Amino acid sequence: MWLNKELVTDSALHSYRKTLSNSGPRHVVIDNLFDNATLDAIVNVLQQDSGWQTQKHTYSALYVDNAKWQKTRKKNRFVQRDTWLRPAPGAGSNIALEFLAFLRGEEFMSLLSRIFKVQLTDINVAKPDINSNYFRLGATDFVNQHADDSPGREVCMLLYLNKDWHQGSGGELVFTGVDDKPVNIAPLYNRCVLFDPSSPGSEHLVKPVTNENTQRYRYNVTSWYWSE
């Protein structure tokens, strides 16, 4: 239901591992990894404006309230975006929620473990659910340069859900890269980016979304994974 089986064969995984070993930062871009029809259904859920809440991070603190945000200098603010609110328990089935559960399930985490040759597990993660979620960026939002290298964090996954994205829309992921060679990745529909957050050059930012965007928002899934 979730994965494109043609892209998770042994030969495909071997290719991903080879790409990881030859890239800086250690990353691989996989297009069409997931089933398109399933992602279409998820996007229909995400386009309901009632399911979102603004999230703000500074370099000194995460999830700051508006009062603290207003007192923080702009250069010390690194994230302003919307985060998806999970439905309340008992609200019924929701394909967007089911997909987040799949991303933290045995099948997908085992796949990532094989690609990165490290055993991923949530055994020591206090709140696994909050480490896989949907986000959206509007024209006034931003994700400035930062690192995702928390202790024990082995893999970061980004999955983009933007149909008809075109050059000039903005929203590209930019790794600082190595040897003064930044890496730019467009947020195309069903494009999955996997990277090692501790590898050199893995600090990253997101280019601003522009008014040329054919949609109101840039959508993505972000998921972080740890080893023991």
Side-chain angles (χ1 to χ4, degrees):
M1 174 182 179
W2 303 109
L3 291 169
N4 179 348
K5 298 300 184 181
E6 294 181 0
L7 297 182
V8 293
T9 61
D10 288 343
S11 60
L13 268 58
H14 175 76
S15 175
Y16 304 151
R17 287 192 288 266
K18 185 176 180 180
T19 298
L20 284 174
S21 65
N22 293 324
S23 61
R26 292 183 67 229
H27 74 285
V28 59
V29 178
I30 309 172
D31 288 328
N32 301 309
L33 178 61
F34 297 95
D35 177 72
N36 275 311
T38 302
L39 295 189
D40 290 348
I42 291 171
V43 169
N44 288 336
V45 174
L46 300 183
Q47 289 177 339
Q48 301 172 15
D49 281 339
S50 60
W52 297 90
Q53 179 176 321
T54 301
Q55 177 188 78
K56 299 173 181 177
H57 298 329
T58 68
Y59 285 111
S60 59
L62 303 180
Y63 309 105
V64 302
D65 59 28
N66 194 58
K68 186 171 184 179
W69 183 256
Q70 295 302 324
K71 294 178 182 178
T72 303
R73 293 182 177 181
K74 288 187 177 181
K75 68 178 182 179
N76 291 324
R77 302 172 180 177
F78 86 88
V79 165
Q80 176 180 294
R81 62 186 175 188
D82 289 343
T83 183
W84 190 66
L85 299 175
R86 285 173 167 79
S93 62
N94 183 307
I95 193 167
L97 193 61
E98 292 171 11
F99 184 57
L100 294 181
F102 171 76
L103 294 179
R104 300 221 77 82
E106 182 179 351
E107 179 182 357
F108 191 66
M109 290 179 69
S110 175
L111 174 65
L112 297 181
S113 296
R114 292 176 65 194
I115 293 173
F116 283 82
K117 293 185 177 181
V118 62
Q119 185 60 48
L120 302 177
T121 176
D122 279 339
I123 191 171
N124 293 317
V125 180
K127 297 180 179 180
D129 287 352
I130 68 171
N131 290 289
S132 295
N133 206 1
Y134 304 97
F135 298 93
R136 70 180 187 183
L137 285 174
T140 61
D141 296 321
F142 54 86
V143 177
N144 291 330
Q145 186 169 320
H146 67 284
D148 279 346
D149 57 344
S150 297
R153 187 182 283 173
E154 303 281 357
V155 177
C156 293
M157 186 208 79
L158 300 166
L159 173 66
Y160 299 110
L161 301 171
N162 307 295
K163 286 193 170 182
D164 302 320
W165 203 267
H166 58 85
Q167 189 173 6
S169 295
E172 295 91 344
L173 171 70
V174 182
F175 289 114
T176 57
V178 296
D179 298 326
D180 296 320
K181 295 179 180 178
V183 178
N184 287 262
I185 301 172
L188 304 181
Y189 195 68
N190 202 355
R191 168 167 284 179
C192 181
V193 181
L194 304 172
F195 69 96
D196 174 356
S198 65
S199 61
S202 63
E203 286 197 10
H204 55 280
L205 56 83
V206 175
K207 289 185 178 179
V209 174
T210 72
N211 290 331
E212 295 180 31
N213 180 12
T214 56
Q215 305 175 117
R216 290 183 60 194
Y217 296 101
R218 169 198 188 270
Y219 293 93
N220 76 279
V221 183
T222 300
S223 200
W224 295 275
Y225 299 94
W226 279 260
S227 64
E228 287 191 54

